[in-house]
Each structure stands twice: as structure tokens, then as C-alpha cells.
Amino acid sequence: MPNSTIYLIGEIVVMIAIFYFLLILPQQKRDKKERAMIEALKPGDEILTKSGIYGKILNIKDESITIEVGADRVKLKIAKWSVGKVINSAEEKK
């Protein structure tokens, strides 16, 4: 009887370790990479938002970004977290 309890506890520990390495750790790495990308944003960067809008960063405030969109140069104010990826960095253009 005591051995079955030890095996049960061992199986639970192994399952928790598997979930950690397969689910939690990769998600933490993605979150860290996304935070670094958002912190590195600069005016002049061309971005793609998570909703599929392409734009060029004009201004960055605390938690918002003003972007310029389309040929008509429409200005949109978006949240920083909504940036999906950087298409062209302002540094690459120089």
C-alpha cells in the first residue's frame, strides 16, 4: 500500500514536470521575446498589428502608439500590446 502511494505521487510530479517543459516554459519564452520587441519599438518602424493593419510608427507614448496607415496617411492610435511584429526597423533603413 505505501509503495502505491509513492508511485502515485511520483506520477503526479512527472506529469507536472512534463506540463511545465512542454507548455509553461515555451509560453514564457514567447512572452519575453514579445516584451523585448515592444520595448525596442521606435518612431519610423513599420509594423503589423495583431489585427492585420500595416503602419509606420509616428509617436510612442506610455502604453499607446500613433501609427500612419495607407496612402491617405490616416493616423491611428493603438495600444502597444497590439503590435504583432516589426516589418522594417528604422535602423535597417539607414
Side-chain angles (χ1 to χ4, degrees):
M1 190 72 162
N3 284 339
S4 64
T5 306
I6 292 173
Y7 287 124
L8 181 63
I9 292 173
E11 287 179 11
I12 291 173
V13 169
V14 168
M15 291 294 283
I16 290 172
I18 289 171
F19 276 116
Y20 179 76
F21 286 109
L22 292 179
L23 298 174
I24 297 170
L25 193 60
Q27 182 63 41
Q28 287 176 343
K29 287 182 181 179
R30 280 190 296 269
D31 290 345
K32 186 176 181 180
K33 186 177 177 182
E34 184 177 350
R35 281 192 303 271
M37 182 262 310
I38 288 174
E39 291 300 318
L41 292 174
K42 297 173 288 314
D45 288 352
E46 293 180 14
I47 61 166
L48 173 63
T49 66
K50 291 179 180 177
S51 60
I53 298 172
Y54 288 90
K56 183 177 178 181
I57 297 177
L58 297 177
N59 188 8
I60 299 176
K61 299 250 176 167
D62 294 329
E63 292 299 316
S64 65
I65 299 173
T66 305
I67 62 173
E68 185 177 81
V69 180
D72 295 339
R73 296 183 158 194
V74 176
K75 293 182 177 118
L76 299 174
K77 187 174 182 180
I78 62 170
K80 273 188 174 180
W81 60 264
S82 68
V83 175
K85 69 178 185 176
V86 178
I87 304 298
N88 289 324
S89 177
E91 290 179 355
E92 292 175 3
K93 294 178 183 176
K94 291 181 180 178

